Amino acid sequence: MQLATFQKEKNFILYDAERFCDGGKPLEPPGIGAQEGAARGRCASSMPLEPRWFFPDYWRERDAVTGEAPGRGASLFLTAPDRPDEQWVLRPYRRGGLIARVNDAHYLWTGRERTRAFRELRLTAALHAKGLPVPRPVAAGVWQHGFTYQAALITVRLTGARALADCLADADAALLERVGATIRRFHDSGLDHVDLNARNLLVTPGGEVFLIDLDRCRLRQPGRWQAGNLSRLERSLKKFGASASLPAILAGYHDKSDG
């Protein structure tokens, strides 16, 4: 996957250059890869990107919202504008905790490449390129307001997938071991998932396990963070009354390391 960026007024978009044209002002950030630079001005479709795509009201007005995911960000499921047989997930970035009472959507602006949306999309694209099970990224949108910004992310929806949290009641050992093996694959690639829980692991109708929501995650050298990820998942399983699922997940995790 090749990524490219463009700017329209104070909107900054990072997108899949193999899929879309931008029609905006090209950006040349320091250190940009040769492939990304070469991708500009070339696309597989005549569909131009629209900054409006990152605003939920745009899709509601067009009756293109097909559903909504749980969570504070109120992620929407959308019909893709260029492929009617495909759905997208639009996830606005939202704050949690006490600060959300006074500021639930604005973040400090320190440059577009340091925004949460750009960092998450680049990380997702890198993992996707390695063949790891993450949703295919579509685009990240950031709009600047002086010293702050708001952002949203669009990815391809895994149609029919359910959160592991919703599968725990009837999950067999084979599925739970696949969950553990999948987590180990990400750990072996250096991914520190700071919010590894039973809702950020998705199971497709075919039994594949995917990892989602890479906000604030990063690639690291092996360390104690790996055990920390697993401890967070253990707390999540306990919250859903499924602590008994942990041994099979850990069996799959360690079998992966042995293999």
Side-chain angles (χ1 to χ4, degrees):
M1 173 183 294
Q2 294 182 356
L3 301 178
T5 51
F6 81 91
Q7 175 183 359
K8 187 173 184 180
E9 297 176 346
K10 290 191 176 182
N11 295 284
F12 302 87
I13 298 178
L14 178 65
Y15 65 98
D16 180 357
E18 298 173 2
R19 179 166 181 173
F20 298 109
C21 296
D22 57 52
K25 176 183 176 182
L27 302 175
E28 296 293 344
I32 191 170
Q35 285 188 333
E36 181 171 328
R40 294 200 180 95
R42 184 174 78 245
C43 60
S45 134
S46 60
M47 171 69 70
L49 277 167
E50 291 282 354
R52 297 176 295 177
W53 287 356
F54 299 96
F55 295 87
D57 286 348
Y58 172 83
W59 301 100
R60 292 192 179 102
E61 290 169 0
R62 285 155 182 77
D63 198 27
V65 177
T66 61
E68 187 169 333
R72 65 174 179 265
S75 298
L76 299 181
F77 301 140
L78 315 168
T79 300
D82 62 332
R83 299 177 186 174
D85 59 338
E86 179 178 282
Q87 291 194 13
W88 288 351
V89 181
L90 170 62
R91 175 163 58 84
Y93 285 79
R94 293 289 185 268
R95 291 184 179 276
L98 294 175
I99 194 172
R101 297 180 182 180
V102 294
N103 173 20
D104 70 341
H106 288 260
Y107 300 86
L108 179 66
W109 173 261
T110 56
R112 70 173 183 276
E113 288 299 328
R114 299 186 67 182
T115 60
R116 292 169 75 152
F118 269 44
R119 292 173 69 176
E120 182 173 358
L121 189 131
R122 287 199 185 278
L123 176 59
T124 305
L127 295 172
H128 186 274
K130 291 181 179 181
L132 289 164
V134 294
R136 184 179 179 91
V138 175
V142 173
W143 44 105
Q144 184 186 1
H145 308 285
F147 295 108
T148 66
Y149 73 91
Q150 293 176 272
L153 186 76
I154 299 174
T155 56
V156 175
R157 184 184 181 190
L158 300 168
T159 305
R162 295 193 298 159
L164 175 63
D166 298 328
C167 303
L168 289 169
D170 55 359
D172 59 18
L175 171 58
L176 297 173
E177 288 174 8
R178 285 199 301 277
V179 170
T182 299
I183 294 170
R184 186 59 189 243
R185 287 181 63 193
F186 282 100
H187 279 183
D188 286 347
S189 294
L191 180 70
D192 177 7
H193 196 295
V194 299
D195 192 18
L196 186 63
N197 65 63
R199 288 217 168 272
N200 285 336
L201 288 156
L202 299 185
V203 181
T204 69
E208 293 181 274
V209 180
F210 281 73
L211 188 59
I212 64 169
D213 193 357
L214 303 181
D215 182 26
R216 299 180 293 112
C217 300
R218 55 176 174 158
L219 298 177
R220 306 178 65 182
Q221 293 298 316
R224 288 182 294 179
W225 58 266
Q226 293 161 307
N229 283 183
L230 295 175
S231 294
R232 190 174 186 90
L233 178 60
E234 181 179 10
R235 293 194 296 273
S236 174
L237 294 173
K238 183 177 181 180
K239 175 182 176 182
F240 289 105
S243 296
S245 301
L246 185 63
I249 292 174
L250 292 179
Y253 181 90
H254 292 297
D255 284 348
K256 176 66 176 178
S257 68
D258 293 338

